[in-house]
Amino acid sequence: MLTITQALVDQIVAHARKDHPDEACGVVAGPAGSDRPERFIPMLNAAMSPTFYEFDSGDLLKLYREMDDRDEEPVVIYHSHTATEAYPSRTDISYANEPGAHYVLVSTADTDGAGEFQFRSFRIVEGEVTEEDVEIVQAY
């Protein structure tokens, strides 16, 4: 289960809306070994595409060095889908290389009639996708 604060959910959704119609992407870092997302880090979608996202390799290297210096790890890796439901695509699955991370997808398309966006979380390990519950809290 992903436990995340309402403030972080709001930041992720706001980033997805801001970058629409392109996909947004980013990371929420947390203390190593804690499984607690704390630090919101919006990233640039280097692909600048409505159907694909890609972290800039230089930005990603800088981020991982910074997280290492701060004894953090990527707890949440998020991106948005602009025209489809919030479910990992084949490409998303192939690029998922953090088995301990929660992969959050936000859809800015109303694909299910449930409203303006979907916010879902998945574990992706060795190509296997498992949806998990999301508990939104006010504080940890």
Side-chain angles (χ1 to χ4, degrees), residues 18-46:
K18 181 177 82 59
D19 283 10
H20 188 90
D22 289 339
E23 290 191 2
C25 58
V27 172
V28 184
S34 72
D35 197 40
R36 188 174 66 210
E38 292 184 354
R39 188 166 64 97
F40 175 71
I41 308 156
M43 302 285 284
L44 172 70
N45 178 356

Side-chain angles (χ1 to χ4, degrees), residues 93-109:
I93 295 165
S94 71
Y95 283 113
N97 61 1
E98 287 286 350
H102 302 271
Y103 285 88
V104 165
L105 274 95
V106 174
S107 175
T108 54

Side-chain angles (χ1 to χ4, degrees), residues 15 18-19 22-27 41-49 53-57 59-60 78:
H15 185 203
K18 181 177 82 59
D19 283 10
D22 289 339
E23 290 191 2
C25 58
V27 172
I41 308 156
M43 302 285 284
L44 172 70
N45 178 356
M48 296 182 138
S49 167
Y53 83 98
E54 181 177 37
F55 292 116
D56 176 85
S57 58
D59 290 348
L60 198 57
Y78 74 87

Side-chain angles (χ1 to χ4, degrees), residues 21 42 117-119:
F117 69 92
Q118 298 173 337
F119 186 99

